[in-house]
Amino acid sequence: CSADSVDHMPCEDPRRNSQLSREMNFYRERHCPLPDETPLCLIPPPNGYKVPVQWPQSLHKIWHANMPHNKIADRKGHQGWMKEEGEYFVFPGGGTMFPEGAIPYIEKLGQYIPISGGVLRTALDMGCGVASFGGYLLKEGILALSFAPRDSHKAQIQFALERGIPAFVAMLGTRRLPFPAFSFDLVHCSRCLIPFTAYNATYFIEVDRLLRPGGYLVISGPPVQWAKQDKEWADLQGVARALCYELIAVDGNTVIWKKPAGDSCLPNQNEYGLELCDETDDPSYAWYFKLKKCVSRISVNGEYAVGTIPKWPDRVTRAPSRAMLVKNGIDLFEADTRRWSRRLVYYRNSLNVKLGTQAIRNVMDMNAFFGGFAAALASDPVWVMNVVPADKLSTLGVIFDRGLIGVYHDWCEPFSTYPRTYDLIHVAGIESIKNDSSKNRCNLVDLIVEMDRILRPEGTAIIRDTPEVIDKVVHIAHAVRWTAIIHEKEPESHGREIILVATKS
């Protein structure tokens, strides 16, 4: 592709999307071009691109040449977000609401919520800046997924991913975020500027859908005890009360609430007209799904509440009740967990992929099912974005119950991330993730060109499928200039799969 496309995200292209409606920030959500409108070309790295600084050093510094965007450093340097030093951008760990750094801020939150000890594991950081909050939660064993839109501060999410912090591009606008219900033990907003009480509290209701029963909501910055925002602050507290959230603390400009662990206290008399969704609503359906003005019902009696669910790391191997949404789900879960731990031993010993080394940090599983691949990597210095294809069984809730993270996605469309953001992409059954019911043409070439876009130079793709499919993939891999080696599958596996290991040049 042309040199000006180095940071191109097809579904978040400001040139196209700025023409769309601004109502509820619709224009900043995903809007993908049709496949025919997408040029088939490979996105080049910027001039002077270097193989990224390795984790954990990358938390503190990255190469300036890899994303030479100085806007944030210039505007936010005084708040400790980031600054330029020689060949590097360095990240002192600050944020608008924590200019002293994320560590003292997290310590402050720890006075009120159980930050350490494994009670909390999955977190969502909304409007995350360069994601220092998520970066520093990792040492507490909390895995935060951070998001922000493609925005005026060029490339917040690009910086987050270059640092090795879990992040993707999203906007809380007109649709549900691409997660199942009750996924996050902690939801955090530090100056995220989401108008939680606007549109009949629609955005607060969406946060409630995503927050696990017994989970914590932390909001720092406006409108919390903020000058000239008394009404907004009063409304925010009113909505929380209407949903029976327990007020844990108001500390300066930070408020902390705890969601009730049991049944909702609705229906009740409240001035916001909040009502429970009817029984037919699936609170976990969230792919291009319009936000609802009703509150999601908690379906299983408190089995996945914070405090009831096993602590991390035990929860990664325990079959959660949500596995039973699949026929014979508990047995399938156990078998899947065993199968992937066996396969990962083989991957490490025989595939010559740098798993377990500092060369691999950002990992994606494009067809995650129960998250068995990610679970088998749980003790590696990596994080895994588990993608559950939107037209497949909705197993993403199980992945979050295990203490792992992921999103729904339709692989007939580009993914919401910047180019060059993953070190390793894994896909078992690449042929099966092309959503055949999709009205768009959806072929392997488009899919592999998209994998190439999000893979870092020298990154690795591991693709398992039948010999016939792998034969097609090899031809395309050569066309996108990958070096490809075919391996037999592990000896104890049944089925006709073979494994392609490809490296981006």
Side-chain angles (χ1 to χ4, degrees):
C1 311
S2 61
D4 64 359
S5 64
V6 288
D7 299 321
H8 181 54
M9 289 188 288
C11 301
E12 289 85 7
D13 182 348
R15 291 168 307 192
R16 288 185 48 159
N17 297 0
S18 58
Q19 327 289 304
L20 301 167
S21 162
R22 310 219 149 204
E23 174 72 14
M24 289 182 82
N25 279 306
F26 178 72
Y27 75 110
R28 288 171 82 174
E29 295 182 289
R30 278 174 65 83
H31 300 283
C32 301
L34 294 168
D36 314 342
E37 300 165 16
T38 319
L40 268 184
C41 60
L42 306 180
I43 290 191
N47 280 334
Y49 181 87
K50 300 181 170 70
V51 171
V53 175
Q54 292 184 344
W55 180 265
Q57 291 74 27
S58 59
L59 182 61
H60 309 293
K61 65 178 190 184
I62 63 170
W63 295 115
H64 179 270
N66 286 7
M67 40 202 67
H69 310 307
N70 285 40
K71 202 164 173 181
I72 300 184
D74 296 346
R75 284 190 183 176
K76 296 284 188 179
H78 66 287
Q79 293 169 350
W81 285 38
M82 58 190 283
K83 52 183 194 276
E84 193 180 347
E85 275 184 13
E87 292 187 285
Y88 297 102
F89 276 127
V90 297
F91 297 86
T96 306
M97 296 306 300
F98 43 95
E100 304 305 307
I103 294 174
Y105 176 72
I106 290 167
E107 283 170 359
K108 175 173 100 165
L109 297 182
Q111 298 167 26
Y112 308 109
I113 62 178
I115 291 284
S116 49
V119 177
L120 302 180
R121 168 63 180 171
T122 56
L124 182 67
D125 190 16
M126 308 192 290
C128 58
V130 292
S132 288
F133 179 72
Y136 285 95
L137 275 179
L138 288 162
K139 73 170 179 34
E140 304 290 353
I142 295 178
L143 185 58
L145 181 49
S146 302
F147 77 86
R150 181 172 190 134
D151 63 315
S152 59
H153 301 310
K154 180 103 177 182
Q156 306 177 63
I157 294 299
Q158 197 177 15
F159 287 121
L161 287 160
E162 185 77 0
R163 295 173 73 187
I165 303 171
F168 79 122
V169 175
M171 177 79 204
L172 187 46
T174 67
R175 311 181 191 125
R176 284 179 174 175
L177 290 168
F179 308 112
F182 320 132
S183 295
F184 296 100
D185 311 341
L186 168 67
V187 175
H188 174 258
C189 149
S190 167
R191 197 128 186 190
C192 64
L193 303 180
I194 291 170
F196 289 106
T197 54
Y199 315 108
N200 283 39
T202 297
Y203 294 139
F204 201 113
I205 290 171
E206 172 64 354
V207 168
D208 178 74
R209 181 183 76 86
L210 297 174
L211 189 57
R212 194 176 287 280
Y216 295 89
L217 171 61
V218 177
I219 299 177
S220 289
V224 182
Q225 303 212 76
W226 205 264
K228 302 197 178 103
Q229 298 217 9
D230 297 346
K231 181 181 184 323
E232 290 83 352
W233 174 220
D235 281 348
L236 187 62
Q237 296 173 86
V239 173
R241 272 197 305 274
L243 293 170
C244 298
Y245 278 41
E246 178 191 352
L247 180 63
I248 302 290
V250 180
D251 182 336
N253 300 115
T254 297
V255 62
I256 301 169
W257 279 292
K258 187 177 190 348
K259 177 174 171 171
D263 282 337
S264 169
C265 64
L266 293 172
N268 59 28
Q269 291 300 314
N270 64 75
E271 60 197 286
Y272 304 95
L274 300 180
E275 294 173 357
L276 281 175
C277 298
D278 60 42
E279 303 277 354
T280 57
D281 172 65
D282 177 359
S284 290
Y285 192 76
W287 183 244
Y288 286 113
F289 192 81
K290 281 262 180 281
L291 286 171
K292 287 199 162 183
K293 289 195 164 43
C294 58
V295 176
S296 298
R297 293 171 180 267
I298 295 169
S299 43
V300 187
N301 306 329
E303 282 178 44
Y304 39 67
V306 169
T308 309
I309 200 162
K311 288 184 176 175
W312 178 263
D314 294 346
R315 73 193 249 190
V316 78
T317 50
R318 302 268 188 93
S321 57
R322 283 201 259 200
M324 294 188 284
L325 295 171
V326 179
K327 195 174 172 214
N328 306 328
I330 303 295
D331 295 343
L332 268 177
F333 178 95
E334 307 289 355
D336 189 68
T337 302
R338 286 194 301 271
R339 179 185 305 123
W340 281 108
S341 55
R342 192 177 67 224
R343 285 176 174 181
L344 257 297
V345 171
Y346 177 75
Y347 282 18
R348 291 178 205 280
N349 295 340
S350 307
L351 295 194
N352 195 19
V353 288
K354 305 164 189 154
L355 281 167
T357 72
Q358 290 184 320
I360 293 185
R361 170 65 189 163
N362 300 350
V363 179
M364 177 183 283
D365 187 356
M366 292 172 65
N367 189 16
F369 188 48
F370 280 153
F373 173 76
L377 287 172
S379 51
D380 276 34
V382 303
W383 67 275
V384 182
M385 177 67 89
N386 290 287
V387 181
V388 172
D391 63 319
K392 292 205 169 212
L393 279 171
S394 174
T395 49
L396 192 50
V398 173
I399 289 170
F400 278 97
D401 290 348
R402 300 183 86 161
L404 306 170
I405 54 176
V407 291
Y408 296 119
H409 183 66
D410 173 354
W411 283 114
C412 292
E413 297 182 357
F415 192 79
S416 284
T417 190
Y418 282 87
R420 301 173 301 283
T421 43
Y422 286 86
D423 300 299
L424 173 67
I425 300 178
H426 174 261
V427 51
I430 194 168
E431 185 68 41
S432 77
I433 64 171
K434 310 198 319 281
N435 174 2
D436 292 326
S437 65
S438 166
K439 53 196 177 306
N440 303 337
R441 87 184 158 81
C442 184
N443 65 41
L444 269 179
V445 177
D446 292 322
L447 192 55
I448 286 168
V449 166
E450 172 61 5
M451 289 169 72
D452 182 80
R453 184 183 74 86
I454 61 186
L455 202 55
R456 288 171 164 174
E458 298 192 9
T460 306
I462 302 176
I463 304 173
R464 302 177 65 102
D465 216 312
T466 63
E468 295 79 7
V469 173
I470 294 297
D471 189 50
K472 286 192 255 185
V473 172
V474 169
H475 284 294
I476 306 165
H478 290 315
V480 298
R481 308 176 197 164
W482 292 356
T483 324
I485 299 171
I486 293 177
H487 297 264
E488 292 299 307
K489 64 178 184 306
E490 42 302 296
E492 55 284 356
S493 277
H494 309 300
R496 294 180 58 246
E497 292 181 315
I498 55 176
I499 304 170
L500 177 82
V501 176
T503 308
K504 178 171 168 172
S505 61

